[in-house]
Amino acid sequence: MTTTDMREARSEDAVGTDEGLLRQIASALACLSRQRTVPNPVYPAKVQNAYNRLVLHCLRRGEEPPGSVPQMVRWAGERPLIEWPLELPPDNFPGAALLVDPETRLPHQLCLEWEVSAADPAAELFENERIGEALAVCRAAKAPQAYTAFRALLTSRPVLTGAELALLGGDPDCGMLLHDVIKRCYEPVPASYLRRGTYRQCARCRCLMVPLLHGSHRCELDRCRRDGTSDEGTPLRADKGGVFQLSRPLRMFITSPGLAETDLQAALEKKFGITAEMWPNYDAYDLRVPLSERRHWAVDVKDRVNPVLLARSLTPFRNEPPYDRAFLVVPRYRFRDNEAYGRQFRRNLPEDLADRVTLLDDQAFLRLVADEISTPRDKAGDPRTEGGRRA
């Protein structure tokens, strides 16, 4: 599932907290990172408004405010959230996490998650528009397989040369039907990614790596940085037809979790010989896992930093295709980084979903599958179908 399916009605700020201001700051930082030219006025209204509100907030609290918008950005790259003069529930302080990477000067995923949690966020609007376009075209053509191929493309090929992008127009899987949508998903790569005539692609996710001042490169995705993926990457020469990459909202919220989804699919196939159906019925959920002819589990995979925002954003699974149990699966490394991840998620889960969600890390889910398929069941022992329940 994508953020297209997140709740339209956002939760109000917790009483006595500054979540609204944090969302506004995150949106401003994301907006600055997307600028390719110097606008007039220099700072868009949402950036200036966020800065003004932060200054006023600091003065009211007797704190020294940042002296300028650039200093606000420096705060984001130097001060963990816990050191900001903001009143937030303890669950919203993810350790020493920063909003901005101090070396690449790009917003971390944590920042973009707060932006997506804001009202009318640019990242979510962009993602919704592109994914919604693809869904509408595929539904009209009665071609669910084309949507599945489209999602696989965004997961496995976040970077294309101009020639590759043009050739997709003849691709029978999804390009012939969705070429116009696909072209709008990709954007020309800024010159800042280029060093000595060469780009570098991350060996794991295939996204472009960001050149650093000391000469190495860094992937922008949390999982790759944490796993210590090589800072050299795979070289990609600049192409005369141009080099294109998915927009950052799509890289962060489609490519990144898409890798976790396909990793889980591959593990099910390798360990148990189970072929999971990906993004069934136009992305009703992420994986439909067949345990027998009559039993299926529905899985949504999320790779999110903040379990609080994840819990608040959940909606019920669509009930077609049907399933017996529904799971929300998060990569194991998120639980290692935050040992309270599960507890924070459960404390913030809406009451109407409390009895419908089973949150597991990916390794725990695979163990549960192993237990389930090793337990003999007769017809009377089959679990009943839960219909519209969803993690």
Side-chain angles (χ1 to χ4, degrees), residues 97-221:
L98 301 169
L99 291 174
V100 169
D101 186 314
E103 292 193 86
T104 67
R105 311 304 291 178
L106 291 172
H108 278 309
Q109 181 174 330
L110 175 65
C111 180
L112 297 184
E113 287 183 15
W114 275 107
E115 184 207 11
V116 166
S117 78
D120 199 34
E124 186 178 350
L125 288 175
F126 183 90
E127 181 200 334
N128 287 356
E129 182 179 350
R130 297 295 173 262
I131 300 300
E133 284 181 307
L135 282 168
V137 171
C138 292
R139 282 192 171 116
K142 294 182 171 57
Q145 71 285 353
Y147 179 76
T148 299
F150 170 73
R151 287 294 301 274
L153 172 72
L154 301 191
T155 297
S156 63
R157 302 181 69 185
V159 177
L160 296 170
T161 64
E164 290 171 333
L165 186 57
L167 287 173
L168 278 175
D171 173 50
D173 292 334
C174 66
M176 295 176 69
L177 183 63
L178 295 170
H179 197 219
D180 286 343
V181 178
I182 291 170
K183 287 189 292 185
R184 288 193 289 274
C185 290
Y186 290 82
E187 59 189 20
V189 175
S192 58
Y193 285 85
L194 192 64
R195 176 172 283 169
R196 291 188 289 275
T198 302
Y199 301 101
R200 294 278 174 175
Q201 284 185 275
C202 174
R204 175 182 172 269
C205 69
R206 310 303 298 163
C207 291
L208 290 181
M209 304 180 78
V210 182
L212 303 179
L213 291 177
H214 53 74
S216 63
H217 294 73
R218 175 177 293 173
C219 183
E220 63 187 357
L221 298 189

Side-chain angles (χ1 to χ4, degrees), residues 293-324:
E293 290 185 2
R294 298 181 58 190
R295 289 185 296 137
H296 294 81
W297 285 356
V299 178
D300 223 14
V301 180
K302 298 293 185 187
D303 188 1
R304 296 293 185 89
V305 183
N306 192 317
V308 175
L309 300 180
L310 174 59
R312 292 178 186 174
S313 71
L314 289 185
T315 59
F317 274 36
R318 284 156 46 194
N319 59 9
E320 288 293 334
Y323 50 86
D324 298 282

